[in-house]
Amino acid sequence: MFQPSSEKIVLASGNPGKIKEIQAILTDFSIIPQQLFNIPEAEETGSTFIENAIIKARNAALHSKLPAIADDSGLVVDTLNGAPGVISARYAGTQATDQQNLQKLLDAMQGIPKAQRSARFICVIVLLRHADDPFPLISQGSWEGTILSYAKGTHGFGYDPVFWLASENCSSAELSTQRKNQLSHRGQALRHLASLL
């Protein structure tokens, strides 16, 4: 059972979309972005989502001296052998924008038939009580969909505009924030984490 010394948890991210999503579900805690502590970004050297989430959480806990939470998430496209995967945020390069990453994906998927466009968003969330925590809490979620051949919708971030949800008859970027939190990979992982807490 996680019993933090305070209700503050440092989030190893500066992504405003992630901060908003995480705070909306972990309402019992105050989620503080790591920038407020001037924490340097951790280098994501892991080859899996779990490894990268642990690296980021440990870095944030070490510098802040507080419990830390980190997620590593990305888009896994079957026909691209799992790409963009763990490099989803930097698929088009380390300084790439969401739009550049999205365009690279659309280019890679050109000519792929509809039946072969299956994909899923994966999210792994790690919570460390302190930097040397030998038993991190780890939760994960997976959200199934398909890749559109064009962007659709203006909500969300990242690959949301090209992630089609047949059950909702819309892209992830057309969902309300509330509905996205109910369905998404991050929402699933956060609710599982909240149950562990």
Side-chain angles (χ1 to χ4, degrees):
M1 184 61 112
F2 177 71
Q3 294 175 325
S5 55
S6 76
E7 291 182 343
K8 292 180 179 175
I9 299 177
V10 176
L11 174 63
S13 174
N15 183 315
K18 283 185 186 180
I19 293 166
K20 200 172 173 184
E21 285 183 14
I22 291 171
Q23 188 65 79
I25 292 171
L26 296 185
T27 54
D28 290 344
F29 299 92
S30 176
I31 307 299
I32 305 164
Q34 67 180 9
Q35 291 94 312
L36 295 184
F37 295 90
N38 294 317
I39 295 172
E41 291 282 334
E43 192 177 342
E44 296 178 40
T45 55
S47 60
T48 66
F49 294 114
I50 290 175
E51 288 172 314
N52 283 334
I54 290 172
I55 288 167
K56 291 188 280 189
R58 182 166 288 132
N59 180 63
L62 181 68
H63 286 90
S64 68
K65 309 295 186 237
L66 287 170
I69 187 172
D71 93 309
D72 199 50
S73 51
L75 181 66
V76 172
V77 180
D78 294 319
T79 197
L80 300 179
N81 295 318
V86 294
I87 63 161
S88 290
R90 52 191 188 280
Y91 186 43
T94 52
Q95 301 301 315
T97 64
D98 281 357
Q99 187 55 47
Q100 289 168 324
N101 287 329
L102 199 113
Q103 191 56 55
K104 181 172 179 178
L105 176 65
L106 289 174
D107 292 345
M109 295 293 287
Q110 230 174 11
I112 303 289
K114 193 174 181 180
Q116 294 171 26
R117 299 177 81 89
S118 58
R120 69 209 45 83
F121 275 122
I122 302 289
C123 178
V124 173
I125 297 181
V126 169
L127 192 145
L128 293 176
R129 295 158 189 84
H130 51 80
D132 297 319
D133 189 349
F135 187 55
L137 293 181
I138 300 174
S139 64
Q140 51 194 353
S142 176
W143 194 19
E144 298 291 323
T146 56
I147 303 301
L148 291 168
S149 55
Y150 56 92
K152 196 171 186 312
T154 57
H155 301 299
F157 60 97
Y159 298 96
D160 285 343
V162 296
F163 191 69
W164 181 255
L165 305 158
S167 63
E168 304 295 307
N169 197 34
C170 69
S171 76
S172 174
E174 295 175 292
L175 294 173
S176 68
T177 301
Q178 184 181 7
R179 186 63 177 148
K180 183 181 177 188
N181 286 343
Q182 288 172 341
L183 298 172
S184 78
H185 53 310
R186 190 168 292 108
Q188 293 171 38
L190 282 167
R191 281 188 296 279
H192 180 241
L193 180 64
S195 73
L196 296 175
L197 293 173

